[in-house]
Amino acid sequence: MNFHYDTLEQCEAAINTLRTMGVMIPEQIFAEQKRLIAQKQSAEKAKTETPIYSTLVANYPYGEMPEEKRKCIEETVDLLLEDGPQAAEPGLLLGKIQCGKTDTFEDIIGLAFDRGIDIAIILTKGTNPLALQTLMRLRKDFRHFKDTGSIDQQPTIYIEDIMKVWRKLRQNVVDTNKCVFVCKKESTNMQHLIDMFKTNQTFLKDKRVLIVDDEADFASRNYRTVRRQALTDADGFPIEQKSEVELAVISQQIDEFRKFPSYCRYLQVTATPYCLYLQPDGELNLNGNVVKPFRPRFTKLVPVHDAYIGGKQYFEDSKDSQSMYSHLFHQVSEKCLSVLGKEDKRYVNSPTSSANLYDFTYALVSYFVATAIRRIQVRENKERNYRTSALIHAELSRKYHEWQKQLTNRIINDTKQALADKKQTDQRIWRAINAAYDDFTVSNKKGREQKLIKVEVPKKEDVINEMREILGNNDYIVQVVNTDNEVVNLLDQESGELQLEATANIFIGGSILDRGITIKNILCFFYGRNPKNFQQDTVLQHARMYGARKKEDMAVTRFHTSSAIYHILSRMNELDNQLREWFLQGNDQSDLNAVFVGYDKNIKPCAMQKIKVSDALTLKKQQRVLPVGMWTGSKTATKKKMAEIDHLVSESMRGQKLDADGFFYMNKDVAQQIIALIEDTYVYDEKYGNIDHKSDMKELLCALEYCTERSGGKLRAMVRTDRNMTRIRANGGFIDSPEDGRTDLKPARERALHEPVLMLLRQNGQKEETEYGNIGWNNAPFYWPVLLTQEDLAPVMFALDQRRKGKQLTIDLTEMLEGINPDEVLKLSYAGNPIDQFGKEGTTYANAEEAAVETRWLKESVASLFIEKDEQGNWKHNPAVPFDEKNDHGVYSLNHGHFPFVLRDYKYILLRNGRNANAPLMLLELFPKDEWIIDPRGDFDEENNLLDDNGQDILLYGSDVIYDKNMNETNFEDNSITLWYIEYPVKRVVKYKSLKK
């Protein structure tokens, strides 16, 4: 019989009962008693040795702290506080979006305090709301350690914003408390932190400091190119220079601060770590300045709790048609997103009549249906009134948020009127109500069948009455949130979350509502940010619908976005899972120290300024990876290594039947051993001009590791001997194609479908003297390995070292514009040779009618180059031209064929064919503005949509279907839109400078 007791009290009660009954007590019960006594003694000892951490564990807000979470916390602290040459390099706490990272790093701080850390510095995103939210959260979660004045009180923790203590922090406060200081990643805050340690309270340098960098991929490591004047020789040609890269201001300040404490450990915290893994390995040297390492030396994953809702539900479980989560995604048309992204007065008066806006109307109406359902369900369970939220994140620009608020309020007002009409005459709204109720009924049923929830959907009549009550009592708020102050005013003083002040709370905003901001009970997320290229670290942080969510809420939660955006987000979820799987499988323990970050043709891991100094490498399907420029040791020096390689190659082939082209299967470990031996035969030195290629073999090993991990360890190989490829090309560059395209590469590509191919090319390595010197080798044989990645490889990026090659500097325009007011010069890029269009320097045209012209299309994205703005930032209207305000489409207004705006009065155009110092330049003098020509020349597709000048992209939707209250349709085409075309007639070619020799 198995005797198991949860507590010592239970066990001893059982022993006493058996003794009273006179029954012999089994030895197993005594063994259990001994186990429980030891457990209790261990807990009491831990409480004595780790009073802060033990208190946090005992007061874990969700019951008993899971063992997996405790393991994460304790192992993270062990790694952070270990000694050694790399101990001061960052560690990373990697968690999913809103999965409990803050709670976890608070516990890490607590245990680190118990283990000797004196001060924790928490770096937050540089916004007031997040700094305030962090302070509120810390004070709430560390409330057990507030100083009460009691003599026997357990350790106390002093918590404050750096802006309040940087001048006046007293030493006795630090000596008698553990301290937590919150510092925004903003230049003034960071400088005050530096001053506090450097000059104001120098005693702090001797304290043991832990930096917790929350959202460490945001602002903590950015680079910028130093702007220097480009130098030219006597003939006006640029002198070759490398651009200088330095840390951006906040990144410099963080790096500077890390150098002050005598003992400093660094913990990065984020859900989007891509730029961190793409940092160079080790210290950097930027223009002679040594910069501390920023790439994580270890990674610990925050466990996902049972209540967490994230990418799995939204993009994986949702694919199962029988799942409750299959109803989460509601498709929004591109037309709808376009309307929300540009103020268009056609829609102001009656947005619910427009088919183009129906998806937005449905999102808002269904949100109120969902809110009514949840309020009834919660009330039936005898809980307090339930408050919900909706988030509209359809455009980054603040000026369009008020536009979206106008549409939102108008749709809500139409919904109010429709509900007040008991005859239900406005079918435009009732169609959405009925569709939403039916959809929620089905998803609720599936949730009950899956045993995810127990609650049922209330009767439709009850739901409608609940909606009438909410809307009739104006028990809702539509709030634009796009400034720090607006967010601060909405924060709950206890929880730090956005306050829900009404039953239904609709928040409209942009990037201010991303990282770190927590919004409870989101039932509707309308997302329309649609750039041409998505940055994964930015877009994933917009997913505010992730987090601890009630399953009952999820039955009526909807994610409204376009099919294209949903597909991108789904792909990001796959890439994110791929990265996490890398750590779960223990691949980060490899000596190669490379982490592979996935990307896609439409998805970038992060902004390029975050990894500017990294030699970030990509791996794609059927890509060749090989060393270049290596020199070899002498024949005597490499003889032993070559014998070992020859033996390993021979043993690998033994017992295998080579195919027709000589390919065979090789063990991955053997391949790695061979490559390591090959590297030992290579020499890298400045005198051979190959220092920049020193990491080539490490890159090859990393690529081999990743490819074989994806192929289940399978690897094909082939060996070619007696090769005589030279080292240097005729043009002076290193040879980078040692394989024969027909006999080597072609059959290798045919085999590299599901596993990589390693080509081992044994070179004779002979010298080859020419008039330019030795273009061959060192009279020593060697192997030249070439790895070909497999066809089905998903693309990834990784980084090992610092970028060595700089970019050419931008040319100084001072000489070209000497004596000219820069405000009178329109600077434009130009493709082709401008001489063919405008003539040579000095060419003059007699009149505007016969002159060469420079032409441009007036698109909204570039209109500010060509049109003046008024004091309010709106396009400036020409008072001499009547404007058709009823058909105001901004820069796309046809205005009955009369251009209504004021053009900028340029006197010159500067054309540049490129951005670097070798770019040709041409300065053109223009005829006066009254001789410019501007015409409406827009092209339209079959549906009357205005097209870009490429004839493909839609600039503005010109068609719609208008519904009346009875759902009768009327097709509408707007003939008041156009794309304006400007012709600038050239009077004279003032200067031309071709900087290419």
Side-chain angles (χ1 to χ4, degrees):
M1 184 177 293
N2 182 27
F3 295 95
H4 176 78
Y5 300 94
D6 293 327
T7 66
L8 179 61
E9 290 75 14
Q10 290 176 346
C11 182
E12 290 181 340
I15 292 173
N16 290 333
T17 299
L18 292 175
R19 280 177 176 159
T20 301
M21 297 171 61
V23 177
M24 181 179 293
I25 301 172
E27 286 299 321
Q28 294 96 320
I29 294 183
F30 286 120
E32 184 71 358
Q33 182 189 35
K34 186 177 180 181
R35 180 188 71 81
L36 291 166
I37 289 172
Q39 186 182 76
K40 185 175 182 179
Q41 290 172 343
S42 176
E44 289 173 351
K45 181 180 179 182
K47 195 166 184 178
T48 303
E49 295 180 353
T50 59
I52 297 176
Y53 177 56
S54 298
T55 302
L56 291 171
V57 171
N59 291 277
Y60 185 61
Y62 309 108
E64 185 177 351
M65 182 179 288
E67 183 62 33
E68 189 179 13
K69 185 179 181 74
R70 293 189 61 164
K71 182 179 179 184
C72 168
I73 294 164
E74 292 162 14
E75 289 183 353
T76 300
V77 174
D78 287 344
L79 289 166
L80 278 173
L81 302 187
E82 66 184 5
D83 296 320
Q86 294 180 309
E89 294 183 15
L92 174 62
L93 185 67
L94 175 58
K96 291 180 178 289
I97 303 290
Q98 298 198 124
C99 77
K101 297 185 296 296
T102 302
D103 171 72
T104 305
F105 79 62
E106 286 177 335
D107 293 335
I108 287 170
I109 290 172
L111 182 55
F113 280 159
D114 288 332
R115 299 269 295 273
I117 290 293
D118 301 306
I119 299 171
I121 307 291
I122 300 180
L123 304 179
T124 72
K125 180 183 173 183
T127 64
N128 290 326
L130 199 54
L132 181 58
Q133 185 185 57
T134 302
L135 269 172
M136 291 175 178
R137 178 73 181 270
L138 286 165
R139 286 170 176 159
K140 175 189 173 186
D141 293 347
F142 285 146
R143 62 190 179 279
H144 303 285
F145 311 103
K146 185 177 181 180
D147 189 356
T148 62
S150 172
I151 195 168
D152 58 348
Q153 185 181 359
Q154 57 189 326
T156 55
I157 299 178
Y158 177 77
I159 302 168
E160 195 49 86
D161 190 308
I162 198 69
M163 298 296 282
K164 293 188 176 181
V165 296
W166 70 281
R167 279 181 175 162
K168 56 184 181 181
L169 181 66
R170 299 189 308 276
Q171 183 167 352
N172 73 301
V173 171
V174 181
D175 290 343
T176 58
N177 296 275
K178 299 294 186 178
C179 294
V180 181
F181 300 123
V182 176
C183 180
K184 285 191 300 185
K185 286 182 271 189
E186 181 272 334
S187 57
T188 302
N189 280 251
M190 287 302 307
Q191 190 58 51
H192 288 340
L193 175 64
I194 291 169
D195 291 343
M196 187 170 78
F197 274 73
K198 184 179 180 181
T199 57
N200 297 351
Q201 288 89 22
T202 55
F203 66 87
L204 294 173
K205 294 180 183 179
D206 296 325
K207 298 296 182 180
R208 291 163 65 92
V209 174
L210 170 63
I211 300 172
V212 177
D213 190 347
D214 196 12
E215 309 294 354
D217 60 310
F218 183 87
S220 298
R221 187 53 64 101
N222 282 321
Y223 303 91
R224 62 183 181 185
T225 301
V226 180
R227 293 186 176 275
R228 297 187 303 166
Q229 184 177 11
L231 303 179
T232 56
D233 60 19
D235 298 322
F237 292 99
I239 299 172
E240 184 178 357
Q241 300 178 80
K242 289 184 177 180
S243 61
E244 293 181 354
V245 176
E246 66 181 17
L247 288 175
V249 173
I250 295 170
S251 302
Q252 281 183 355
Q253 292 172 317
I254 293 174
D255 187 71
E256 182 182 357
F257 174 73
R258 291 172 66 185
K259 298 171 183 176
F260 286 122
S262 57
Y263 183 99
C264 185
R265 297 294 185 263
Y266 201 114
L267 179 65
Q268 300 163 330
V269 182
T270 188
T272 49
Y274 320 112
C275 73
L276 305 179
Y277 292 130
L278 293 176
Q279 294 300 314
D281 197 16
E283 289 186 335
L284 304 182
N285 189 317
L286 298 182
N287 313 321
N289 297 317
V290 176
V291 176
K292 282 188 168 292
F294 207 69
R295 185 171 168 178
R297 65 180 172 90
F298 71 83
T299 298
K300 284 296 174 184
L301 301 182
V302 178
V304 176
H305 52 78
D306 293 340
Y308 184 74
I309 297 293
K312 181 179 184 296
Q313 288 76 23
Y314 276 89
F315 304 109
E316 298 171 38
D317 295 349
S318 59
K319 294 177 181 177
D320 179 3
S321 62
Q322 299 306 308
S323 170
M324 176 178 78
Y325 300 115
S326 65
H327 293 257
L328 282 173
F329 167 52
H330 186 272
Q331 185 170 330
V332 175
S333 71
E334 296 290 348
K335 282 187 176 183
C336 183
L337 296 182
S338 178
V339 172
L340 292 171
K342 296 184 183 76
E343 185 170 354
D344 193 329
K345 294 181 179 178
R346 291 178 297 177
Y347 298 95
V348 167
N349 293 327
S350 185
T352 54
S353 298
S354 169
N356 289 352
L357 266 178
Y358 175 73
D359 291 328
F360 189 56
T361 299
Y362 177 85
L364 292 171
V365 172
S366 66
Y367 165 62
F368 282 101
V369 175
T371 298
I373 289 172
R374 288 296 295 131
R375 272 173 62 87
I376 295 170
Q377 290 172 337
V378 168
R379 218 166 32 235
E380 288 175 350
N381 287 330
K382 298 181 180 179
E383 297 178 35
R384 63 182 176 80
N385 285 342
Y386 205 58
R387 294 180 176 181
T388 70
S389 61
L391 177 58
I392 299 171
H393 190 154
E395 178 60 42
L396 181 64
S397 178
R398 294 180 180 181
K399 66 180 180 180
Y400 295 124
H401 295 158
E402 285 296 334
W403 159 245
Q404 293 159 11
K405 182 178 179 180
Q406 284 184 49
L407 292 176
T408 299
N409 280 325
R410 188 54 193 261
I411 291 169
I412 291 173
N413 286 333
D414 287 354
T415 305
K416 276 186 188 180
Q417 292 176 15
L419 286 167
D421 179 9
K422 298 295 180 71
K423 295 181 180 180
Q424 301 187 9
T425 55
D426 192 346
Q427 288 301 308
R428 298 168 302 187
I429 298 298
W430 284 103
R431 173 178 65 158
I433 292 174
N434 293 330
Y437 181 85
D438 291 345
D439 184 37
F440 293 147
T441 300
V442 175
S443 57
N444 176 277
K445 180 182 178 183
K446 291 179 180 178
R448 285 184 283 113
E449 290 173 348
Q450 290 179 279
K451 294 183 170 43
L452 295 174
I453 60 176
K454 294 180 180 179
V455 296
E456 296 187 5
V457 174
K459 294 177 181 179
K460 183 187 288 187
E461 182 180 352
D462 294 339
V463 172
I464 291 169
N465 287 333
E466 190 74 23
M467 290 176 67
R468 287 185 177 126
E469 181 179 338
I470 295 169
L471 293 171
N473 294 332
N474 293 322
D475 194 6
Y476 66 90
I477 292 176
V478 180
Q479 177 83 45
V480 172
V481 186
N482 54 23
T483 67
D484 280 3
N485 287 337
E486 287 169 337
V487 176
V488 167
N489 291 334
L490 286 170
L491 288 180
D492 184 279
Q493 293 300 308
E494 289 188 8
S495 68
E497 300 173 328
L498 287 193
Q499 293 183 82
L500 304 184
E501 297 179 337
T503 289
N505 301 266
I506 300 174
F507 300 110
I508 302 172
S511 56
I512 196 72
L513 290 175
D514 58 12
R515 293 173 183 263
I517 298 298
T518 305
I519 308 171
K520 290 195 303 182
N521 305 340
I522 294 180
L523 301 186
C524 170
F525 183 35
F526 191 100
Y527 187 70
R529 289 281 298 281
N530 195 9
K532 289 185 178 179
N533 289 297
F534 290 80
Q535 283 181 195
Q536 187 164 353
D537 59 351
T538 300
V539 174
L540 281 182
Q541 291 290 351
H542 295 160
R544 296 296 98 191
M545 70 283 196
Y546 288 3
R549 304 291 184 201
K550 297 181 178 68
K551 299 294 192 297
E552 293 80 5
D553 278 357
M554 297 310 299
V556 293
T557 296
R558 294 298 179 263
F559 176 37
H560 304 267
T561 192
S562 70
S563 178
I565 295 176
Y566 184 81
H567 173 75
I568 290 288
L569 294 173
S570 180
R571 178 67 180 133
M572 284 185 180
N573 182 65
E574 292 175 11
L575 296 175
D576 203 48
N577 287 342
Q578 176 182 311
L579 176 63
R580 292 168 197 279
E581 192 64 26
W582 182 260
F583 294 104
L584 290 173
Q585 293 177 355
N587 292 316
D588 59 315
Q589 304 304 313
S590 166
D591 293 337
L592 295 172
N593 193 28
V595 176
F596 295 88
V597 176
Y599 72 100
D600 208 327
K601 63 179 181 179
N602 297 317
I603 301 171
K604 296 189 298 183
C606 58
M608 289 302 105
Q609 74 262 22
K610 295 182 179 181
I611 56 173
K612 190 185 287 282
V613 301
S614 297
D615 192 11
L617 305 157
T618 61
L619 281 183
K620 303 177 183 178
K621 63 181 182 180
Q622 296 231 320
Q623 177 180 332
R624 296 161 55 255
V625 184
L626 70 159
V628 171
M630 60 283 184
W631 184 246
T632 68
S634 65
K635 189 172 184 177
T636 302
T638 61
K639 182 177 180 180
K640 184 176 179 181
K641 296 291 184 185
M642 285 298 294
E644 289 184 59
I645 299 168
D646 288 337
H647 175 72
L648 284 171
V649 169
S650 176
E651 286 298 309
S652 295
M653 298 169 64
R654 185 188 301 276
Q656 287 201 59
K657 184 178 180 181
L658 277 57
D659 67 20
D661 294 304
F663 288 81
F664 60 96
Y665 281 100
M666 177 179 281
N667 183 281
K668 167 192 160 185
D669 294 336
V670 173
Q672 290 174 327
Q673 190 177 352
I674 289 172
I675 292 170
L677 287 167
I678 291 174
E679 185 176 18
D680 288 343
T681 67
Y682 292 167
V683 178
Y684 295 92
D685 195 283
E686 290 286 358
K687 63 184 177 183
Y688 303 123
N690 61 7
I691 289 295
D692 285 352
H693 293 281
K694 191 173 182 180
S695 63
D696 283 1
M697 289 296 280
K698 190 173 181 182
E699 291 166 10
L700 192 153
L701 279 168
C702 288
L704 178 66
E705 176 73 24
Y706 183 77
C707 291
T708 52
E709 193 270 332
R710 293 296 173 210
S711 69
K714 290 185 177 180
L715 166 72
R716 290 203 192 206
M718 65 88 152
V719 181
R720 300 285 192 260
T721 58
D722 199 27
R723 293 296 176 90
N724 291 292
M725 182 63 67
T726 58
R727 179 172 179 258
I728 299 174
R729 298 181 188 277
N731 66 5
F734 291 130
I735 293 286
D736 59 3
S737 300
E739 73 279 17
D740 183 280
R742 182 178 58 84
T743 62
D744 302 337
L745 189 57
K746 184 175 182 294
R749 290 196 186 281
E750 292 171 352
R751 288 159 176 80
L753 301 178
H754 307 296
E755 57 255 347
V757 170
L758 179 63
M759 295 175 266
L760 296 170
L761 311 175
R762 198 179 197 278
Q763 304 286 332
N764 293 323
Q766 298 300 311
K767 287 185 177 181
E768 189 169 330
E769 297 290 348
T770 69
E771 59 182 305
Y772 303 107
N774 177 21
I775 64 171
W777 304 92
N778 197 21
N779 279 337
F782 68 95
Y783 277 90
W784 198 334
V786 180
L787 180 72
L788 182 67
T789 65
Q790 58 264 45
E791 173 69 26
D792 60 1
L793 188 75
V796 290
M797 295 177 69
F798 68 102
L800 296 172
D801 297 314
Q802 182 176 351
R803 183 190 297 275
R804 295 179 179 273
K805 297 178 182 178
K807 296 180 179 179
Q808 285 186 309
L809 297 171
T810 303
I811 191 65
D812 183 9
L813 300 175
T814 305
E815 183 183 345
M816 286 294 290
L817 301 180
E818 185 177 1
I820 294 174
N821 181 354
D823 293 337
E824 297 178 342
V825 181
L826 173 59
K827 300 181 181 70
L828 299 172
S829 59
Y830 188 87
N833 186 351
I835 292 177
D836 296 339
Q837 174 73 12
F838 304 103
K840 297 180 179 179
E841 184 175 320
T843 300
T844 303
Y845 296 93
N847 55 68
E849 290 77 14
E850 298 177 359
V853 295
E854 173 59 14
T855 61
R856 294 289 154 148
W857 293 97
L858 192 56
K859 294 183 285 188
E860 188 171 37
S861 58
V862 294
S864 59
L865 283 174
F866 309 106
I867 304 176
E868 292 186 19
K869 288 188 173 183
D870 61 23
E871 293 178 353
Q872 288 74 41
N874 301 315
W875 304 121
K876 191 172 183 178
H877 287 107
N878 185 345
V881 179
F883 184 62
D884 181 7
E885 292 188 2
K886 290 183 179 180
N887 294 293
D888 182 1
H889 307 296
V891 296
Y892 302 122
S893 300
L894 177 59
N895 200 47
H896 306 295
H898 303 290
F899 187 68
F901 306 109
V902 178
L903 289 172
R904 293 185 181 275
D905 192 8
Y906 292 114
K907 291 182 171 56
Y908 302 91
I909 289 179
L910 179 66
L911 299 176
R912 306 174 63 184
N913 192 344
R915 292 184 177 273
N916 63 33
N918 283 328
L921 302 170
M922 178 174 278
L923 183 65
L924 306 171
E925 182 183 357
L926 302 176
F927 279 94
K929 186 165 67 168
D930 58 7
E931 298 192 64
W932 301 352
I933 295 174
I934 181 161
D935 286 331
R937 300 189 185 182
D939 287 332
F940 298 83
D941 62 15
E942 307 86 26
E943 298 182 1
N944 199 52
N945 299 315
L946 181 64
L947 300 176
D948 198 346
D949 57 289
N950 61 20
Q952 296 179 350
D953 298 331
I954 295 175
L955 295 173
L956 194 67
Y957 288 96
S959 61
D960 200 351
V961 175
I962 305 300
Y963 298 104
D964 65 16
K965 290 185 176 183
N966 296 316
M967 294 302 295
N968 295 315
E969 299 180 5
T970 302
N971 291 321
F972 170 77
E973 288 191 358
D974 195 332
N975 297 314
S976 63
I977 58 178
T978 192
L979 182 61
W980 292 94
Y981 182 79
I982 309 177
E983 291 186 357
Y984 294 97
V986 174
K987 186 175 184 179
R988 179 168 63 103
V989 179
V990 182
K991 293 180 183 178
Y992 177 70
K993 200 164 191 178
S994 176
L995 299 175
K996 292 182 179 179
K997 282 191 174 179

